[in-house]
Amino acid sequence: MKKKLLAFGLVGVCLMSLLTGCGSENENGKVYYLNFKPEQDAQWQELAEIYTEETGIPVTVMTAASGQYETTLKSEMAKTDAPTLFQVNGPVGLEGWKDYCYDLSGSDIAGQLSSTEFALMDGEKMAGISYVIETYGLIYNKSLLAQAGYSAEDINSFADLKAVAEDITARSDELGFSAFTSAGMDGSSDWRFKTHLANLPIYYEYKADGIGTTDAIKGTYLDNYRAIWDLYINNATCEPTMLSTKTGDDAVAEFVTGKAVFYQNGTWAYADISSLGDENIGMLPIYIGVEGEENQGLCTGTENYWCVNGKASEKDIQATLDFMNWCVTSEVGVNAMCGTTGAMPSGADGMGFVIPFKSNLESSNVLVNQANEYVANGYTSVSWNFPTMPSEEWKNGVGSALTTYAADQTDENWNAVVTAFVDGWASEAAK
Amino acid sequence: MEKAIKKYMPIFVFPTLAAFIIGFILPFILGIWLSFCEFTTVTDAKFVGFSNYIKAFQDPDFLHSFWFTALFAIVSLVVINVFAFLLALALTQKMRGTNIFRTIFFMPNLIGGIVLGYIWQLIINGVLAKYNTALALNEWYGFWGLIILVSWQQIGYMMIIYIAGLQAIPGDIIEAAQIDGANPIQRLFKVTLPMMMPSITICVFLSITNGFKLFDQNLSLTAGEPSKLSELMALNIYNTFYGRVGWEGVGQAKAVIFFIIVVGIGMWQLKATRAKEVQQ
C-alpha cells in the first residue's frame, strides 16, 4: 500500500512540474512589453517597477537581444501570455503583424501625439504609434577637422566632402589621423551602410518619383551610392579588404581615440562618444552628390512603433493603453524617456529620446540639438525610408555585395551590388 | 513479480511517455502541419497546400546550400574519422601520458559551437589579414575554416569512441594473428578494422549527421558570407524562417525536406556499415 502511495506521489510530482507556469489572471489586467532597444532595458525595467508600485498593475518588460527582435517576437506571440505591447519597424514590419495590431485611433495615447504623421496607418486603422524620433548623419570630430584646416562650413556638398576627405588621406601620415572610421561590415556595424546609407539613394528616388514606397526600385541614384561608398572605404583607417572583419566597436574606438574625423551614426550613439566632450562633436548631413543637396539636412525618422496586441484580453489591452499613456504624460515617465544624466528616479541615466508627443522635453544630447538646429535653419530633413525595404534578406544581400565590392572595386562587383539592390528588391517585394 | 510489473507499468511509463509526447511527438507533428501553412506565429496558421514546398525547391540558395552541405559532410566525415582513428591507435599504445593526451584531445568538444566559431573567426581572419583578405570574401576560406573547426572540435570525441572499441578487441585474436605471421599492416586491416566496425558505424553516423546539421559554427564563423555562398542547410532554413516576412512556412517546408534527407542518409549509412560488422 505504501509503495502504491509512493508511486502515485511520484506521478503527481511529475504532473505538477508540467503544469506549473500557468499563473493566475490579474483582475485589472497586466502589461507585457517586448522591448526592441537593448540599450534602454534598465530604464524600462525601472519604469515598469515604479508603475506597478503606483497602480498595482503588473508590468513585465522583456528585451530581445540585439538583432533578435523578430525571432523573439514570433516565439513570444505564440504563447498564452503573449506580449501586450510590442514593436514593428514600419510598413514592412507591420505587414507580418497587422492581424495582431489593435486599432489605436481615438485612444488616449493617440491624442498625445504631436503630429499624426508619427502614427503608422494600416488603411483606416491606426496600427502603431512611434515613440521615439532619431536622427543620423556624419558625426565629426570638430577639433580634428580644425587641425586638418577645415571647418563644417566648408562642407556643403558631396564635392566638398570628397575634397576634404581626400586631402586628409593625402596628408594622413603627417596629420596622424584618417578621414573616416572603418566602415565595418561585421554584423554589429553593417546596418550603418546596407540600411542607413542605402536610405539616401532610396530617399532621392522616392522624391524624384513622388512616391513613398515601391515594389520595384529603379536604382536611379545608385551611382551616387557608389561614390559615397568609395569615399568611405578608400579614405578610412583600414584597408578596404579588411572591412568584413571590422565591428561597430572598432569604429567607435577609432572615433573617440581621434584616429578619424568622420563617423556615420546617429543620435543614439551619443553615450558612446560623449567622452570626446560636447564641444568637439558635430553632425553633418550625408551628401551623395545629388542636385540641390546644399539644402539637405540630417536623416530624421523612426523605426520604432508601439503596437498593442489586439488578441490580448480586453483588460490587458486597457492596462497596456494606460501604461503607454502614463509613460508619455506622467512626470516620471517623460523624464525617463527624454532625460539624460540622472533622469531616472533611481539616479540612473534616462533614455535620452526625442519623443513625438506633446510632453517632449528639451534634450541635453548634442547630436539631438544639432539635428534641431538644422531643422530650425530651414534645411530639409531626409526621411527614413528603410522601413520600406522589402526584407532583412534584401539588406543582407546588399551588405554582402558591398563587402565583396569593397575588397575588389571592379565594375563587375559593383554590378552585383546593383543586382542585389534592384532585382533583389523586386523579388523580395513579390515574395 | 512479473505480474506486479505489468500492473504498475502505466504508472512508471506514463510520466516519461507524456514528456516524450509533449516534448517531441506533438511539436514534430505540428512542424509537419505548419510546413503546409502560411503563418506568423505557430498558433494561428492558414492551410496553403504544397505551395511552400514548391517555393523551397525553386530557391536557388537552398539548392546551393544542399550541395555545399553534402560536400562539407563528406569531407568532414573523412577528415574527422581518419584522424580520430589514428589518434586512438596512437593513444592505446603503451606509453606514458596517454590519459593526459586523451583529456587534451577531448577538451575542445566541451566548448560551445558559437564560442568556437568566434574564436576561430579571429584566428583565421588574423592569418588571412597577412594576405590582405578575409573569411567573408571567399566561400572556400569559409569551407576549409569550418572543416578545421569541426575537426578540432569533434576528433577528440570520436577518438574516445574508437579507443573504447580498440580496448574491447580481445588480445588473443591479435596474438593469434601475430603467431600466424601477419605483419602490423595486415593485423590492422584484417583483424583490427573488422573488429572495430561497430565503433566505425556509430562514429560515421555521428559525424555525417553532425555535418549535415551543423548550425552554430556556421552562423558564428561565416554567417553565410559572401552572399550566402558558405551557407549550410540548417542556416539557410533559419534565415528563411526569420529573415523574410511571409516565408515562415517555406522555412518550415525546407526543414521537413532537410529532416527527410538526414534520416534517409543516416538510415542508408547505418545499413551499409552494419552489413560489414562481424561476430566475434
Side-chain angles (χ1 to χ4, degrees):
Chain A
M1 191 59 210
K2 256 187 192 165
K3 270 188 188 163
K4 216 176 195 174
L5 275 178
L6 183 69
F8 277 113
L10 283 174
V11 173
V13 170
C14 290
L15 284 177
M16 289 285 282
S17 61
L18 287 174
L19 295 176
T20 48
C22 308
S24 58
E25 283 283 299
N26 188 296
E27 248 172 73
N28 299 316
K30 58 189 180 321
V31 181
Y32 173 11
Y33 177 30
L34 189 62
N35 172 30
F36 175 80
K37 288 174 164 289
E39 59 271 29
Q40 268 88 30
D41 178 59
Q43 287 93 333
W44 283 116
Q45 300 290 359
E46 193 180 332
L47 270 188
E49 215 166 283
I50 295 169
Y51 188 71
T52 308
E53 255 169 50
E54 274 186 23
T55 61
I57 291 181
V59 180
T60 318
V61 175
M62 188 163 117
T63 302
S66 177
Q68 295 295 313
Y69 194 77
E70 275 293 300
T71 317
T72 317
L73 184 59
K74 267 180 195 164
S75 55
E76 287 298 302
M77 279 302 227
K79 293 182 182 168
T80 321
D81 278 331
T84 58
L85 180 59
F86 64 97
Q87 288 185 219
V88 299
N89 71 344
V92 172
L94 179 64
E95 199 51 39
W97 293 105
K98 60 183 177 194
D99 297 343
Y100 291 82
C101 292
Y102 178 80
D103 187 359
L104 294 165
S105 31
S107 63
D108 290 344
I109 180 130
Q112 293 297 326
L113 274 176
S114 50
S115 155
T116 49
E117 66 175 296
F118 298 113
L120 180 65
M121 305 301 287
D122 174 31
E124 287 296 292
K125 180 169 122 181
M126 191 187 284
I129 283 179
S130 150
Y131 70 90
V132 55
I133 307 170
E134 292 168 312
T135 300
Y136 67 89
L138 210 48
I139 300 173
Y140 65 97
N141 182 327
K142 283 185 183 167
S143 65
L144 288 191
L145 194 60
Q147 268 182 52
Y150 297 98
S151 78
E153 280 82 57
D154 297 331
I155 304 171
N156 207 355
S157 68
F158 178 73
D160 296 343
L161 181 65
K162 190 173 160 81
V164 171
E166 286 177 349
D167 181 42
I168 293 174
T169 305
R171 295 189 290 140
S172 67
D173 286 340
E174 161 205 341
L175 290 169
F177 53 82
S178 308
F180 292 95
T181 51
S182 57
M185 291 306 284
D186 166 88
S188 62
S189 158
D190 60 351
W191 48 268
R192 294 193 289 139
F193 311 103
K194 69 182 185 189
T195 311
H196 286 185
L197 187 61
N199 180 49
L200 287 136
I202 298 173
Y203 165 77
Y204 278 111
E205 178 170 335
Y206 282 1
K207 200 173 146 189
D209 296 352
I211 51 176
T213 179
T214 180
D215 282 343
I217 199 100
K218 292 185 291 192
T220 327
Y221 293 95
L222 284 184
D223 287 342
N224 304 76
Y225 189 42
R226 181 178 183 173
I228 185 88
W229 181 239
D230 281 347
L231 194 66
Y232 277 7
I233 60 181
N234 294 327
N235 297 286
T237 47
C238 74
E239 287 294 312
T241 42
M242 291 295 100
L243 290 181
S244 67
T245 62
K246 294 286 176 186
T247 64
D249 291 341
D250 288 336
V252 172
E254 290 158 16
F255 190 68
V256 295
T257 54
K259 293 211 170 64
V261 185
F262 299 108
Y263 168 52
Q264 186 207 307
N265 214 336
T267 46
W268 55 89
Y270 175 64
D272 291 338
I273 58 168
S274 57
S275 61
L276 274 178
D278 286 358
E279 68 286 355
N280 278 329
I281 304 174
M283 184 147 58
L284 281 169
I286 302 171
Y287 297 114
I288 61 168
V290 175
E291 210 160 299
E293 69 182 357
E294 55 280 359
N295 290 320
Q296 178 194 320
L298 302 166
C299 306
T300 299
T302 183
E303 60 164 352
N304 289 281
Y305 292 94
W306 270 339
C307 300
V308 174
N309 183 356
K311 300 200 175 183
S313 72
E314 284 288 317
K315 277 181 300 195
D316 291 352
I317 291 178
Q318 194 51 49
T320 306
L321 291 172
D322 290 345
F323 173 69
M324 289 157 77
N325 199 41
W326 177 82
C327 286
V328 302
T329 51
S330 72
E331 206 188 320
V332 180
V334 174
N335 270 329
M337 287 183 83
C338 299
T340 49
T341 318
M344 300 300 292
S346 68
D349 288 355
M351 302 184 218
F353 288 162
V354 177
I355 56 174
F357 301 102
K358 290 167 185 162
S359 54
N360 187 30
L361 301 175
E362 188 92 5
S363 180
S364 56
N365 176 337
V366 246
L367 297 174
V368 167
N369 294 334
Q370 178 103 52
N372 292 340
E373 230 167 84
Y374 268 98
V375 175
N377 292 339
Y379 290 91
T380 320
S381 294
V382 173
S383 58
W384 284 23
N385 296 301
F386 42 84
T388 68
M389 288 173 180
S391 67
E392 279 303 311
E393 191 82 5
W394 179 84
K395 296 179 194 171
N396 295 339
V398 172
S400 298
L402 282 177
T403 315
T404 311
Y405 169 75
D408 183 14
Q409 299 169 26
T410 59
D411 285 344
E412 193 192 344
N413 281 336
W414 183 258
N415 285 339
V417 178
V418 175
T419 310
F421 205 102
V422 178
D423 299 352
W425 188 297
S427 64
E428 282 302 307
K431 280 184 201 157
Chain B
M1 187 60 199
E2 191 111 317
K3 218 175 138 198
I5 290 177
K6 271 202 178 130
K7 193 173 159 198
Y8 290 116
M9 189 191 76
I11 294 175
F12 289 105
V13 168
F14 179 74
T16 330
L17 188 68
F20 186 68
I21 290 175
I22 294 170
F24 187 80
I25 306 276
L26 287 181
F28 187 73
I29 294 171
L30 182 68
I32 293 178
W33 156 248
L34 284 172
S35 72
F36 295 100
C37 294
E38 202 182 296
F39 60 95
T40 306
T41 61
V42 295
T43 41
D44 66 332
K46 200 171 88 235
F47 186 77
V48 292
F50 277 95
S51 73
N52 289 333
Y53 285 89
I54 296 169
K55 276 191 196 164
F57 279 113
Q58 281 171 344
D59 182 357
D61 293 331
F62 186 55
L63 300 180
H64 171 84
S65 75
F66 172 75
W67 291 113
F68 199 74
T69 311
L71 185 63
F72 172 78
I74 293 167
V75 175
S76 67
L77 167 82
V78 173
V79 173
I80 290 172
N81 285 287
V82 168
F83 279 96
F85 191 81
L86 292 179
L87 274 180
L89 275 181
L91 295 182
T92 43
Q93 306 299 316
K94 284 191 181 63
M95 60 178 207
R96 286 162 65 88
T98 47
N99 274 337
I100 290 181
F101 281 118
R102 284 177 198 180
T103 316
I104 291 173
F105 284 120
F106 185 75
M107 281 225 283
N109 195 58
L110 302 175
I111 311 173
I114 289 274
V115 182
L116 277 186
Y118 283 117
I119 293 172
W120 278 95
Q121 189 191 43
L122 287 176
I123 298 174
I124 297 172
N125 270 334
V127 174
L128 289 177
K130 294 235 179 303
Y131 303 96
N132 220 354
T133 181
L135 262 180
L137 297 176
N138 184 323
E139 73 265 33
W140 296 110
Y141 297 158
F143 182 85
W144 291 109
L146 277 174
I147 294 281
I148 293 171
L149 199 170
V150 295
S151 302
W152 187 71
Q153 185 182 21
Q154 290 181 7
I155 282 175
Y157 190 81
M158 302 302 163
M159 175 195 77
I160 296 290
I161 300 178
Y162 282 130
I163 285 176
L166 283 172
Q167 284 171 339
I169 298 176
D172 47 355
I173 299 185
I174 310 260
E175 211 181 316
Q178 214 165 355
I179 292 167
D180 286 345
N183 64 30
I185 303 286
Q186 282 171 326
R187 288 206 298 275
L188 175 63
F189 282 100
K190 306 281 182 193
V191 182
T192 311
L193 269 182
M195 296 298 291
M196 288 284 286
M197 276 323 280
S199 310
I200 293 176
T201 303
I202 188 73
C203 283
V204 169
F205 176 77
L206 283 177
S207 48
I208 205 162
T209 47
N210 281 345
F212 266 94
K213 293 189 303 180
L214 197 78
F215 175 73
D216 353 8
Q217 290 88 338
N218 189 202
L219 179 73
S220 53
L221 189 77
T222 70
E225 293 295 320
S227 302
K228 296 175 171 299
L229 288 176
S230 70
E231 198 175 55
L232 298 179
M233 279 176 102
L235 183 62
N236 180 280
I237 291 169
Y238 174 85
N239 284 338
T240 312
F241 196 97
Y242 288 115
R244 303 162 127 173
V245 173
W247 279 68
E248 291 86 353
V250 182
Q252 196 65 38
K254 285 180 179 179
V256 172
I257 298 168
F258 178 61
F259 166 77
I260 294 170
I261 292 174
V262 173
V263 168
I265 291 175
M267 288 300 193
W268 169 78
Q269 176 268 324
L270 277 183
K271 221 177 136 201
T273 41
R274 277 264 165 78
K276 294 209 161 53
E277 285 179 18
V278 289
Q279 293 290 321
Q280 284 190 7

